[in-house]
Amino acid sequence: MIATQFPPLAASLFSLMAIGSLLLAFVMLGSRWLKDYLLAFAAQSWLIALLSAAVGYYGNFPELYFIAALTALFRGVVLPWLILRIIARLKVDRELHERLSPSSSLVIGAALVLFAFVVSSHLGRTLHLEGSVAVLALTVMLSMKLIGFLMLAVRGEALSQILGILVLENGIFLGSQILVPGMPLLLELVILFDLLVIVACFGVLVRYLVTHAGVTHARALRRLVG
Amino acid sequence: MSSESLIAVILLAPLAAVLLCLLVQRPRPAEFFNLAAAVVVFLAVLALLPHSLSGPQRLADDYLIVDALSTWGLLCVASVYLLSSIYAIGYMRRLSEDARLHRFYALFAGFALTTLSGPLMNNVGVYWIAIELTTLVSTFLVCFELGAESIEAAWKYLVIVSAGISLALLGTVLYYWAGSFALGPSYSLTWAALREVAPRLDPAIATTAFLLVTIGFGTKVGLAPMHTWLPDAHSEGPAPVSAMLSGALLNTAMIGIARFLQVSDAAGSGALPRAAVVALGAFSLFVAALFIVRQTGIKRLMAYSSVEHMGVLALGFGFGGPLGIAGALYHMLNHSLNKSLMFFGAGNAMRAYGSKRIGAIRGLPTRMPVSGWLWLAGAVAITGAPPFGLFRSELTVLRAGLRSDHAWAVYLMLVLLIVIFVGFLAHFRAMYFERAPAAAEELQSEEDIERAQPLRDFPDAWCVVPMALALIPLLALGLWWPDFFARCFAAVAANLSVGGRS
């Protein structure tokens, strides 16, 4: 089943959830407190898990229930819990090293969403999908991608960078539920895979902290240049 | 032996080495397991080469592909793995990290395993996963020495490459979406399926997806401007790891870009995809030339040279045609051998002088007679001077470019190659023929003071023999283009042409 064939109720439900996730991405972009940041990420993951379950229900893809459960478990519970533990241990509760104030990054984020909308509506026009949920999914996917890159660029705290990467992947995850719901095996693998990325990130981070106790912002990593 | 059993040997030998290293937990047996796996893999790849010419074979329920391109990639990886496993024995013993050495070899064999599996993947999504796995394993090799700088390098490597490669996942999802209009919602996204459905893809989506995939895998290949992680990771890891990263890993991601180029040709996306790859290649050469001329770190010099050679590969695949593909593949093998040689030499000099700065390395011929001259020969080879292999492969890429639509890139490439030749060898001239300044102690930065003391009886045979083993085929390949290679390149070119069978 392709995105255009969903019943109207389902399509509007999907749109609601997609827009909700985009809003949560803006919450992350606008917050200085790492805990808020983390809560927004967890909420976004739960929303995406609900979205997969809904797509599975309306589109008859039973595998997606499994994906939804995995998403909720790993991205909604395990990862936030791990990050919370690290926040508690490091005693950094707010982003201190942003290169751009949250309000200016919100404005830039809005401009990026506009850009994503222009690109995806162009693609939607060539496919004759104007106004369908597919174009919205594409917009949200590209915007979350761009917002994730913005976070990586303007945030200096190591934990914020990990969360930035997770937002990048949430974006792809959300878009692919609506655009290509029949691609399940790959998605399962990707979920497990992300966990590995995060575990690796933590491994490096912890080693870094062991050798340089106290420094947790990536901006201090500037010895290698040229 | 059949290809199935050979592939099984190639993948199981490093896996067995990982498990044995973790099980035995002693440094000397771990060295042996890793070296044995490297020898077995190399022999199995040599035996697999003739099989690959008879046409593409799909194994393991369509998840693995054995064709001329993937086998060629395996040959590059296996050669570097063998050479750096020999070198690692001599180099790693000097780090006085014996207690953790079995973990190093387990990771090293695991890195080889993921790098070997990359070119073999037939499913586009699984290929992405294999490439991302290589990042995860090699991160821990980069920061094995646990210095502040190596942890910084590992952090940058992990963050930049994971972020970049997520763009490739986005591109893959877009390809799948575009294909689902023609093939239905659920299908298996193999290279062959993607190529067959390509003419029916929407051109706008196919072009967008191609650009995303190229930027994503281009990050991993180290094409400028996505190369920023590369000099850090390559210069901070132990020398055998740098050789594997540069000689083996970068190629496996390049193979993906070559396959996607074929898809976009089949999709009829026009001139944009090839122009984008050519532009990235030319820009990589440009950036590399700038940083090579002013470089002060010896391993960073080698790392920027990797950026340069990945640029040449991108130009070769971007120019396309049988000649461009042959040049690029030939260059891939030459680069693998030569860059291993260069990193081995750099590791030897670093340990022998106790510094990473080019300025601290003076009077090489007296300090390291044998490996010093081998290293100099390698430096002449890597800048593309005859009679070594890289001269022939770069010339072939240039010839291919003159026949393509991108002749401007050929002239740019020529100028930049000359700049790199001059800049690179100027550093070597200083290291070989200049005397150390009398006040050398004062000139050393604090960075040097915290380094290990220079090692007197270094390099030993373990660290010199692999350099010779890399140089001999490099010289042979420059003088003589074996007939077997020509058939192999023709098979790859046939597979990668529009409507090819792979």
Side-chain angles (χ1 to χ4, degrees), chain B residues 41 138 291 315 331:
Chain B
V41 166
S138 50
F291 281 92
L315 285 175
H331 198 72

Side-chain angles (χ1 to χ4, degrees), chain A residues 77-220:
Chain A
V77 178
V78 176
L79 288 181
W81 177 69
L82 281 176
I83 298 178
L84 204 62
R85 264 185 41 183
I86 296 217
I87 291 179
R89 194 183 308 158
L90 294 182
K91 303 190 177 65
V92 274
D93 48 1
R94 54 174 294 183
E95 171 64 67
L96 296 168
H97 304 95
E98 80 256 341
R99 204 164 281 184
L100 207 60
S101 71
S103 43
S104 341
S105 33
L106 282 179
V107 174
I108 296 181
L112 292 176
V113 174
L114 274 183
F115 174 71
F117 177 71
V118 170
V119 171
S120 46
S121 63
H122 174 75
L123 286 179
R125 226 179 358 263
T126 62
L127 287 169
H128 310 292
L129 288 175
E130 294 103 325
S132 75
V133 68
V135 174
L136 182 77
L138 204 57
T139 311
V140 174
M141 175 156 84
L142 292 177
S143 334
M144 279 173 65
K145 199 88 201 172
L146 292 169
I147 289 175
F149 276 117
L150 182 64
M151 284 178 192
L152 280 177
V154 301
R155 298 283 169 105
E157 199 65 46
L159 286 168
S160 310
Q161 295 202 337
I162 296 174
L163 284 166
I165 288 182
L166 286 172
V167 170
L168 285 180
E169 279 167 356
N170 262 2
I172 298 178
F173 214 62
L174 180 139
S176 58
Q177 305 291 338
I178 299 178
L179 294 179
V180 287
M183 192 181 168
L185 172 71
L186 186 67
L187 294 184
E188 273 171 56
L189 291 170
V190 168
I191 296 185
L192 293 174
F193 210 67
D194 282 355
L195 265 188
L196 285 175
V197 174
I198 303 314
V199 170
C201 278
F202 284 144
V204 175
L205 183 68
V206 169
R207 282 179 178 208
Y208 183 71
L209 295 174
V210 167
T211 38
H212 295 261
V215 189
T216 55
H217 56 104
R219 206 63 54 73

Side-chain angles (χ1 to χ4, degrees), chain A residues 47-57 64-65 67-68 71 173 177:
Chain A
L47 210 51
I48 291 174
L50 280 179
L51 179 69
S52 353
V55 173
Y57 176 74
L64 284 185
Y65 294 128
I67 302 276
T71 312
F173 214 62
Q177 305 291 338

Side-chain angles (χ1 to χ4, degrees), chain B residues 290-311:
Chain B
L290 290 185
F291 281 92
I292 281 176
V293 171
R294 297 288 309 271
Q295 194 48 253
T296 55
I298 186 64
K299 284 179 90 184
R300 297 181 80 80
L301 181 69
M302 303 307 155
Y304 278 107
S305 162
S306 294
V307 175
E308 171 212 345
H309 288 286
M310 288 303 124

